[in-house]
Amino acid sequence: MTLTHVRVMLEYFHPWTNAAGLYVASRQGWYRDAGLDIELTVFDSLRGDTLEHLARGEVHLGVFPTNRLLVRSAAGQPLKAVASINHRGLETIQTVVGRGITRPRDLAGKRLALNPTPRGVAMVRHLVEADGGDPDAVTLVDSGHRELSADDIAAGEVDATFGGYWAWDALFAQLPGEQRITWPVDEIGAPPYHSYLLGTGPALTDPAVIEAFRQATARGYEAARDEPGLALDVLDRVIPYFPRPILARSLELITPTWFDGDGRWGEIREDLMTPYTQWLAGNDILPRSFDWRQAVTTSRALKP
């Protein structure tokens, strides 16, 4: 049987537990059974993120943040989401005990580090204002692409951070848990959204190949949920430099985000896409007239 080669680019600098379903499907041979020769890879950050690689036709499928896809789609780039990866926002605001910050509005007058993208700045302002605080009183510190941790906060570099994930980055801090404060953004006022989507660019337009990949990937994520030991064994092969207890905890946290309320993997939900698109447009990140559906392909992916 001749296999169709498909190059799939992940969303991060290296694999992490959010990609467990992809690696399980590959390890178990389910892509091969579907006639696909899958290559899983990560982006070269000096050449851009996953969406830039997709737009240039250098990869066939990729995992990327929802907001970045919508911005590129609004600019006319031929990029389409075909499935969801996460049904929650993964970002956090983090701080430490003793800084006088017990709720988001307490960030007024404090130094908060983030990568100051338009969307990141708008999200911080929104979260502070949603709690009755003054977003203009927050001192934003440009941390660039570096993710500051709770340990950096404890060392006095800043008072708080925005951006690290509660299911990944937050797990690596050395500071004892009782001294850390971690707020998932969707628990403190952020609009609901898919943190990551899976999609295609101009290098792959064959719906049969896309659907074969989608079905095998769903099987992989279901197996990672049902057999976490299998998923961890596979992750040991691709990221062996991370401690197994951290991988196990991260997998435990991230797994529920892969499925909707009916236990389905991959559904792109109107109740997550519409409010997020409206929020992005309301913060001048998207045109007011933009319809998120133009950035999504396959009708079966659209579920209310």
Side-chain angles (χ1 to χ4, degrees):
M1 178 175 65
T2 301
L3 302 178
T4 300
H5 178 254
V6 178
R7 193 162 189 250
V8 184
M9 184 164 281
L10 306 181
E11 75 274 24
Y12 198 47
F13 299 103
H14 54 73
W16 65 295
T17 50
N18 205 32
L22 295 159
Y23 281 101
V24 168
S26 180
R27 174 72 176 275
Q28 297 299 96
W30 295 330
Y31 290 128
R32 182 169 291 272
D33 292 345
L36 305 176
D37 171 28
I38 296 298
E39 175 191 356
L40 297 173
T41 187
V42 296
F43 58 79
D44 176 353
S45 60
L46 299 182
R47 302 187 69 250
D49 64 5
T50 295
L51 283 162
E52 289 186 56
H53 287 75
L54 273 172
R56 291 193 296 262
E58 296 169 354
V59 293
H60 302 93
L61 286 152
V63 180
F64 42 74
T66 299
N67 58 289
R68 295 188 190 180
L69 169 70
L70 298 181
V71 168
R72 288 177 177 272
S73 178
Q77 294 190 13
L79 302 162
K80 299 285 187 178
V82 300
S84 66
I85 300 291
N86 307 100
H87 293 264
R88 283 191 63 184
L90 299 177
E91 293 161 309
T92 63
I93 286 180
Q94 295 187 71
T95 185
V96 299
V97 173
R99 294 298 172 88
I101 304 172
T102 61
R103 53 189 300 166
R105 70 186 183 196
D106 295 335
L107 291 166
K110 305 295 185 180
R111 300 164 300 155
L112 182 140
L114 78 166
N115 182 0
T117 63
R119 182 261 183 190
V121 171
M123 184 63 75
V124 168
R125 292 182 60 84
H126 171 89
L127 295 172
V128 172
E129 190 169 26
D131 192 42
D134 179 5
D136 291 327
V138 181
T139 299
L140 300 181
V141 177
D142 185 351
S143 62
H145 295 286
R146 181 175 172 231
E147 292 281 0
L148 297 185
S149 69
D151 297 327
D152 296 313
I153 300 171
E157 291 196 36
V158 290
D159 300 304
T161 65
F162 165 79
Y165 290 173
W166 47 264
W168 185 249
D169 311 73
L171 304 180
F172 291 91
Q174 299 300 306
L175 194 69
E178 64 272 13
Q179 296 180 36
R180 288 182 265 149
I181 298 172
T182 302
W183 297 318
V185 295
D186 62 359
E187 294 179 3
I188 55 172
Y193 62 98
H194 292 291
S195 191
Y196 286 105
L197 299 173
L198 171 76
T200 64
L204 176 60
T205 57
D206 186 338
V209 172
I210 294 170
E211 186 57 24
F213 179 85
R214 195 177 185 277
Q215 290 186 19
T217 301
R219 188 178 178 187
Y221 275 98
E222 290 162 1
R225 173 194 60 196
D226 298 338
E227 300 179 68
L230 168 63
L232 288 170
D233 287 344
V234 176
L235 290 170
D236 278 344
R237 291 282 302 275
V238 297
I239 43 174
Y241 37 84
F242 289 114
R244 173 63 86 95
I246 289 181
L247 293 180
R249 179 56 176 156
S250 177
L251 187 65
E252 179 184 18
L253 291 171
I254 199 72
T255 295
T257 75
W258 296 334
F259 304 94
D260 67 12
D262 295 321
R264 298 173 299 190
W265 179 86
E267 306 299 329
I268 297 176
R269 295 162 48 191
E270 183 175 355
D271 62 326
L272 298 185
M273 295 296 291
T274 295
Y276 192 41
T277 301
Q278 291 173 342
W279 181 85
L280 291 167
N283 283 280
D284 298 323
I285 296 164
L286 288 173
R288 300 272 176 164
S289 60
F290 179 76
D291 185 345
W292 61 266
R293 292 167 185 81
Q294 78 177 52
V296 172
T297 193
T298 71
S299 59
R300 62 167 297 186
L302 306 181
K303 298 292 181 181

